[in-house]
Amino acid sequence: MKSVLITGGAGFIGSNFAHHALARRPDWSITVLDKLTYAGNPKNLCSLETNPRYRFVHGDIADPQVINSLFSKGLDMVFNFAAESHVDRSIECSNAFLRTDVYGVHTLLEAARRWPVYRFLQISTDEVYGSVRERAFREDAPVRPSNPYAASKAAAEALAHAYHATYGVPAIITRATNTYGPRQYPEKLIPLFITNALEGRPLPLYGNGDQIRDWLHVNDHCEALLHLVDHARTGDIYNIGAANERRNLDIAHLILEQLGQPVSLIRPVEDRPGHDRHYALDCAKLSALGWRAYIPFERGLRDTIAWYRHHPSWWGPLKSGAHAHYYQRQYGTEVFQPPDRLRGIR
Ligand SMILES: NC(=O)c1ccc[n+]([C@@H]2O[C@H](COP(=O)([O-])OP(=O)(O)OC[C@H]3O[C@@H](n4cnc5c(N)ncnc54)[C@H](O)[C@@H]3O)[C@@H](O)[C@H]2O)c1
């Protein structure tokens, strides 16, 4: 049995990965470590509780005591999903981002240096590149993060790279594009738009909605990570994308159309400072290892909408309380602007 640590496994991608890995790898025994911040949700893991190959530990990746105690018992693989992950929150205040995304990664790497593991996957993001310049980014393009979240992830990558070069920690860095699917906290674009549309509430769209992202289904993201743990070279960086570039405005239209809601629900709001216009990845390096994304966007989005439609008890409570205050601070009264702001945006 291989002993696998999944940090941040109560969040969106980490919880999908825990389910995916337990189903796909019968010889893996999984420990999920999660601090249970606002984005971590024990409900994401409750169906695993009876699985003898699964256990949950409540703790912080930046706490050396917790981390050392897990590593000292012997780990084969580490998948580090734990992070503060929302760009807008990092613009409001970045302290927690530096603590978890940088210092937390340092704590994990220090432990991996002391108690060697077979593979250490640092789950990173295409946001480290910044907005696309002449052509899609290959892994050797310079990083130019445009917001504190992306900067904290780039710093974590630099640490992982340094610990590989200096101490031989078998780190692999993955840079995935925007990921969507079930169990994503409803502050991110797709779940925010779906749940607002289900409630008949406005969809706050930054600027004129012409930002372009490559959308990757979470199951494809999870499968790519399993593929990389088997085939990637340690010390290397791998882009993960779906070749599925869409404008935010078009995503809003698709969601409203599928839910039978009017376009007038779209409300342009003041653009995010430092907002990258366009992310695009060249994924030839990962393709050469025999992996590609399989889930067509139309089907993935339809299934994701169906999941949110059938799980209002999962997202309903998340949109009240602290989230409601955050939402008001973030979008303010702008979100209630009348639809005539939409003129000229199509
Ligand atoms: N969502 C995306 O589109 C996307 C794309 C590419 C890369 N990523 C990366 O994938 C990872 C997972 O993203 P996500 O969208 O699932 O994030 P998420 O915000 O849904 O989940 C993050 C999880 O980490 C936990 N956590 C936060 N701080 C912690 C700490 N100090 N110790 C232990 N646990 C802690 C939270 O409780 C939560 O469960 C992140 O590292 C993110 O940078 C995300």
Side-chain angles (χ1 to χ4, degrees):
M1 205 48 85
K2 302 224 167 24
S3 178
V4 178
L5 177 66
I6 299 178
T7 67
F12 164 50
I13 307 174
S15 67
N16 279 283
F17 185 74
H19 285 266
H20 199 80
L22 281 167
R24 297 291 307 272
R25 300 285 158 112
D27 60 334
W28 284 16
S29 169
I30 282 173
T31 300
V32 166
L33 172 75
D34 201 292
K35 188 179 173 184
L36 297 179
T37 67
Y38 76 96
N41 190 340
K43 284 185 191 166
N44 293 344
L45 299 162
C46 59
S47 63
L48 300 179
E49 275 161 13
T50 54
N51 189 323
R53 294 189 289 117
Y54 162 80
R55 74 170 175 139
F56 180 79
V57 175
H58 184 197
D60 184 341
I61 59 163
D63 178 346
Q65 248 186 326
V66 177
I67 295 306
N68 292 350
S69 125
L70 288 167
F71 276 74
S72 63
K73 293 189 182 74
L75 289 172
D76 293 299
M77 281 170 260
V78 178
F79 291 85
N80 179 36
F81 295 92
E84 289 293 335
S85 69
H86 195 46
V87 173
D88 290 332
R89 289 182 192 260
S90 80
I91 292 169
E92 199 176 53
C93 176
S94 53
N95 293 356
F97 288 75
L98 293 185
R99 189 176 185 282
T100 290
D101 302 6
V102 185
Y103 184 64
V105 173
H106 176 257
T107 308
L108 290 169
L109 289 165
E110 272 292 301
R113 172 188 166 196
R114 211 162 143 200
W115 293 283
V117 297
Y118 166 69
R119 289 290 179 267
F120 184 114
L121 268 84
Q122 171 57 20
I123 316 304
S124 194
T125 165
D126 61 351
E127 298 211 16
V128 297
Y129 293 114
S131 203
V132 77
R133 293 174 283 273
E134 296 91 54
R135 64 176 82 92
F137 292 117
R138 285 192 343 196
E139 289 83 351
D140 54 4
V143 294
R144 284 190 203 163
S146 311
N147 59 66
Y149 160 70
S152 71
K153 296 296 291 186
E157 288 191 2
L159 282 170
H161 185 261
Y163 271 64
H164 174 264
T166 312
Y167 307 112
V169 172
I172 293 164
I173 294 161
T174 65
R175 291 178 179 157
T177 57
N178 276 45
T179 305
Y180 72 100
R183 297 196 280 266
Q184 188 168 28
Y185 193 86
E187 65 188 352
K188 303 281 171 37
L189 185 121
I190 285 186
L192 176 66
F193 283 6
I194 293 174
T195 55
N196 278 16
L198 283 166
E199 294 177 305
R201 294 170 63 188
L203 275 52
L205 184 74
Y206 283 131
N208 59 8
D210 68 354
Q211 306 85 0
I212 297 173
R213 304 288 181 261
D214 172 10
W215 291 93
L216 171 71
H217 191 274
V218 69
N219 289 353
D220 277 331
H221 191 158
C222 293
E223 199 49 44
L225 298 177
L226 288 183
H227 196 80
L228 284 169
V229 89
D230 292 339
H231 299 289
R233 257 189 19 191
T234 60
D236 267 13
I237 300 169
Y238 293 86
N239 288 340
I240 308 175
N244 172 47
E245 291 187 11
R246 311 266 169 167
R247 291 191 307 166
N248 287 351
L249 179 66
D250 298 329
I251 302 268
H253 278 283
L254 273 173
I255 290 171
L256 291 170
E257 189 185 305
Q258 290 202 22
L259 286 170
Q261 291 283 26
V263 171
S264 58
L265 279 183
I266 298 175
R267 294 285 193 285
V269 295
E270 197 179 319
D271 207 351
R272 168 193 280 170
H275 205 170
D276 289 326
R277 286 252 98 48
H278 185 183
Y279 296 135
L281 297 186
D282 177 331
C283 298
K285 189 170 170 185
L286 179 55
S287 310
L289 296 181
W291 182 87
R292 70 178 173 86
Y294 279 95
I295 301 173
F297 185 67
E298 283 68 20
R299 194 183 93 209
L301 186 65
R302 197 178 58 237
D303 293 351
T304 303
I305 290 174
W307 188 88
Y308 282 92
R309 197 202 278 278
H310 293 124
H311 294 83
S313 61
W314 184 91
W315 55 265
L318 300 180
K319 295 189 81 170
S320 56
H323 176 83
H325 291 298
Y326 163 77
Y327 189 82
Q328 274 244 295
R329 274 200 319 278
Q330 186 59 32
Y331 300 111
T333 48
E334 283 278 297
V335 81
F336 301 111
Q337 280 195 346
D340 63 356
R341 278 278 303 266
L342 271 176
R343 268 201 296 263
I345 301 178
R346 283 290 177 269

